[in-house]
């Protein structure tokens, strides 16, 4: 049975009105899933912190591998919650989280390890730059920022496909490449937004830690994917494919009059 939503004139809101609508409706579930995501990333962050304090890459490697195996499934559930919100999928928060974890935990372990290996080395290098007696050269900084942006752009497209579709890794990589070639500048803009957000949090450590339960992962992932969602949906056919696979998640928007008539007919 499709999911009916009473929605003004029967059309989905757009722009800032849509953004605030989703925040008002789903912020509680975002905070809940964000808390579980922070728990999933905690071993990774603690391991990387000890590796940085001891200046040990030997400690960094197992911290990223073990931490990534836990962080990957947690991050996939965060992406699942964001995209359920963006497409107005029904369901209770805890039930959706359990379903997402059951569907994605196996396939997200290896990507989680790779993701955390890259992220751990980026954080390690950043702290080495910070502690160095002399500033790194312009070329070194430019290469560091460029690779960080490319890393962010790629995984910003990889994680949504992992949680939304059952497809081969080859197809996922191909989709990422084609999407980047077609929508490079918009994807780059969203990646810059994410890097700036996390950069500010790192810059103001340890005081910024108090913001993690409030904004943490959910705020920047929701904002970045909200900006990309229209072209992601058009390119990958997100809502069309999910409606075919899961008819109960189909959303039909009704104006006030149609909504009232249907409710009266049901009674």
């Amino acid at each position: 049975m499709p999911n009916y939503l009473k929605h003004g004139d029967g059309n989905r809101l757009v722009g800032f009105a849509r953004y605030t609508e989703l925040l008002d409706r789903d912020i509680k579930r975002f905070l809940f899933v964000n808390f579980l995501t922070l728990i999933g990333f905690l071993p990774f962050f603690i391991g990387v912190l000890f590796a940085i304090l001891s200046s040990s890459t030997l400690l960094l490697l197992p911290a990223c591998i073990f931490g990534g195996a836990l962080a990957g499934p947690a991050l996939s559930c965060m992406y699942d919650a964001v995209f359920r919100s963006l497409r107005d999928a029904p369901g209770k928060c805890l039930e959706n989280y359990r379903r997402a974890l059951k569907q994605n935990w196996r396939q997200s372990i290896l990507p989680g390890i790779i993701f955390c290996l890259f992220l751990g080395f980026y954080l390690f290098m950043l702290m080495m730059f910070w502690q160095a007696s002399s500033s790194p050269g312009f070329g070194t900084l430019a290469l560091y920022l460029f690779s960080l942006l490319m890393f962010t752009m790629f995984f910003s497209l990889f994680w949504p496909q992992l949680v939304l579709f059952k497809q081969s890794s080859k197809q996922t990589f191909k989709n990422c490449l084609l999407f980047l070639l077609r929508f490079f500048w918009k994807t780059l803009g969203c990646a810059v937004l994410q890097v700036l957000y996390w950069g500010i949090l790192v810059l103001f450590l340890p005081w910024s830690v108090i913001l993690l339960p409030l904004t943490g992962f959910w705020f920047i992932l929701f904002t970045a994917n909200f900006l990309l969602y229209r072209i992601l949906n058009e390119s990958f056919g997100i809502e069309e494919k999910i409606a075919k696979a899961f008819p109960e998640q189909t959303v039909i928007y009704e104006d006030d009059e149609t909504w009232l008539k249907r409710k009266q007919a049901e009674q």
Side-chain angles (χ1 to χ4, degrees), residues 116-259:
C116 285
L117 280 170
F118 275 97
L119 183 58
F121 275 96
Y122 280 123
L123 291 172
F124 189 86
M125 291 170 61
L126 180 63
M127 292 300 106
M128 294 302 102
F129 291 159
W130 190 279
Q131 297 172 4
S133 56
S134 59
S135 301
F138 174 79
T140 302
L141 284 177
L143 181 61
Y144 175 86
L145 290 174
F146 174 76
S147 61
L148 180 60
L149 283 172
M150 293 302 297
F151 161 80
T152 306
M153 292 168 70
F154 174 80
F155 276 102
S156 294
L157 302 175
F158 178 87
W159 284 110
Q161 293 183 76
L162 184 143
V163 303
L164 291 170
F165 309 125
K166 288 185 178 180
Q167 60 188 21
S168 65
S169 298
K170 181 180 179 181
Q171 184 62 49
T172 301
F173 276 89
K174 180 181 177 181
N175 289 346
C176 290
L177 178 60
L178 293 175
F179 191 93
L180 284 173
L181 290 174
R182 185 177 179 186
F183 303 106
F184 179 83
W185 294 109
K186 191 156 189 176
T187 311
L188 176 62
C190 290
V192 170
L193 193 65
Q194 294 181 69
V195 169
L196 287 176
Y197 171 82
W198 289 109
I200 291 171
L201 288 182
V202 171
L203 182 64
F204 287 97
L205 284 172
W207 301 279
S208 57
V209 170
I210 62 175
L211 291 176
L212 292 179
L214 300 176
T215 59
F217 289 89
W218 78 265
F219 178 73
I220 190 59
L221 290 182
F222 171 72
T223 301
N225 284 288
F226 176 83
L227 295 173
L228 286 175
Y229 184 69
R230 183 183 62 82
I231 54 178
L232 282 171
N233 187 37
E234 291 175 355
S235 299
F236 300 144
I238 295 173
E239 296 185 16
E240 180 182 356
K241 290 179 180 178
I242 289 179
K244 289 181 179 179
F246 306 98
E248 70 278 4
Q249 294 189 26
T250 303
V251 179
I252 297 177
Y253 301 98
E254 296 179 328
D255 57 36
D256 295 341
E257 183 179 354
T258 305
W259 170 275

